[in-house]
Amino acid sequence: MTQFEERERAYEARFAHDEELRFKSLARRNKLLGKWAAEKLGRTGEAADAYAKEVVRSDFAEPGDEDVFRKVRGDFNSAGVEMSDEEIRLKMRELLVEAAEQLS
């Protein structure tokens, strides 16, 4: 194996690792977001856990964060929870950092 091939394999392995870590971080962020939103919606215990799972599943609707944001925004609107879009998006960013730190 040439040095170039070794570097290429190392790069591919690093890329795969980074993508896996990104996926896990986003999934954990969505679970944390679901727990936070459940609290705002007045859900506790098993209902809060079930809601957090709903938020995680909502991320598979389309690429990116908009599907998760729309899920939480829609549920807040339906329940009459006063929360701005900016506050939700800020919480999503904060929880992504927290999720990444938890995985480190």
Side-chain angles (χ1 to χ4, degrees):
M1 181 179 296
T2 67
Q3 186 177 12
F4 178 75
E5 290 171 331
E6 288 175 11
R7 280 192 291 176
E8 184 178 19
R9 285 191 183 192
Y11 177 77
E12 289 172 356
R14 177 67 181 178
F15 179 79
H17 176 265
D18 290 349
E19 285 300 303
E20 181 181 356
L21 186 58
R22 182 178 173 277
F23 175 80
K24 287 179 179 180
S25 294
L26 287 171
R28 182 162 300 201
R29 186 273 319 260
N30 293 340
K31 183 176 181 180
L32 293 170
L33 181 68
K35 295 248 183 197
W36 171 79
E39 180 183 320
K40 301 293 182 192
L41 293 166
R43 298 180 187 185
T44 59
E46 289 183 22
D49 292 340
Y51 183 76
K53 288 178 184 177
E54 285 179 35
V55 172
V56 171
R57 279 192 301 273
S58 74
D59 193 24
F60 299 116
E62 63 187 48
D65 291 336
E66 285 305 304
D67 44 2
V68 175
F69 171 78
R70 279 194 308 273
K71 164 77 174 140
V72 173
R73 169 83 277 156
D75 292 343
F76 280 0
N77 289 346
S78 295
V81 174
E82 292 291 325
M83 184 80 56
S84 72
D85 290 355
E86 293 78 23
E87 289 173 302
I88 296 169
R89 290 184 193 281
L90 176 61
K91 191 56 142 173
M92 289 173 74
R93 286 190 299 272
E94 290 171 355
L95 291 175
L96 182 58
V97 171
E98 183 179 328
E101 288 173 353
Q102 288 178 3
L103 291 172
S104 295

